[in-house]
Amino acid sequence: MTNRFLGVRRTALLASSVAMLGLLAGCGDGDGTASAPSTESGTAASATGTATPSDSGTGSGVPTDAVSNSLTPSASPSPAGGTRCHTSELSASVGRNNPGAGQENFPVVLTNESSRTCTLHGYPGTAFVDAAGKQLGPDPKRSATEPETVKLAPGQSAWAGLSFSNPEVSGAGTATPAALLVTPPDEEDPLKVTWKAGRIPVSGNESSVRLIPFSPGTGA
């Protein structure tokens, strides 16, 4: 009885061992290594350089052509008329008086004497001076008119208005200048124009000289 029991037990243990070996064999891939999970095939593809959806764009989901368009600078508008006129390229003159309502009104004219096109923008610097070069009267006042950029081809002119009250009407103190110094916008060197229009107000009420910005032409 005992020997029969032992034989049955050995048979059962042997069968259990065989089943366990079969289970282990089913978990391998034939070379003794464990099969890789199915997700590893995607990881391997990515590691070998296969493009993912974000790789085909910019990494942020924005198409490449959209990025290149946004990085391409738009064409900057060219300055209206190029670079400014320099003192050495200009000549200055004072046009004919156009009086009215107790005012004396003169066009201060700058002409492009160079061989290139240049621009004026804003107001001239002006100062009446005596024969010794001393300024007569207060600094001029600028109007609130919005300046425009005036393009001057060779030989073309622009004018700025200079006006003051007639001293005989205002009763201001007067002096007779030898010259008017005219400095182009954004320049430091003036042009000297002989003054031939008589007395100007230099003191008292209504002694200010007023300016309007440049416009095309001679103001005639």
Side-chain angles (χ1 to χ4, degrees):
M1 176 68 71
T2 301
N3 291 337
R4 184 179 178 184
F5 176 78
L6 292 174
V8 173
R9 185 176 181 184
R10 288 192 188 98
T11 301
L13 289 173
L14 180 61
S16 177
S17 298
V18 170
M20 182 63 71
L21 289 173
L23 181 61
L24 291 174
C27 291
D29 56 8
D31 59 359
T33 60
S35 298
S38 60
T39 56
E40 287 186 6
S41 61
T43 304
S46 182
T48 57
T50 302
T52 62
S54 64
D55 290 332
S56 62
T58 65
S60 60
V62 180
T64 303
D65 57 347
V67 172
S68 62
N69 288 339
S70 67
L71 294 179
T72 302
S74 59
S76 300
S78 299
T83 58
R84 76 174 189 270
C85 302
H86 301 294
T87 302
S88 61
E89 299 173 307
L90 300 168
S91 63
S93 61
V94 176
R96 186 178 59 184
N97 184 19
N98 183 24
Q103 297 287 314
E104 310 299 324
N105 305 299
F106 297 87
V108 177
V109 181
L110 293 181
T111 301
N112 182 6
E113 303 291 352
S114 75
S115 59
R116 73 180 185 102
T117 297
C118 60
T119 60
L120 295 173
H121 181 87
Y123 302 81
T126 60
F128 288 106
V129 295
D130 62 16
K134 180 181 177 181
Q135 180 173 332
L136 301 175
D139 291 333
K141 295 181 179 180
R142 295 178 175 182
S143 72
T145 306
E146 184 70 23
E148 63 175 304
T149 298
V150 181
K151 182 168 65 174
L152 298 182
Q156 290 186 331
S157 301
W159 69 281
L162 180 151
S163 64
F164 52 83
S165 296
N166 186 319
E168 293 182 2
V169 175
S170 67
T174 64
T176 301
L180 176 67
L181 301 183
V182 182
T183 306
D186 300 314
E187 292 290 296
E188 296 181 354
D189 297 326
L191 297 164
K192 188 175 183 179
V193 182
T194 301
W195 183 255
K196 300 178 181 180
R199 297 181 301 158
I200 64 164
V202 295
S203 64
N205 295 331
E206 301 296 330
S207 62
S208 294
V209 175
R210 293 172 293 278
L211 293 169
I212 63 172
F214 282 105
S215 296
T218 62

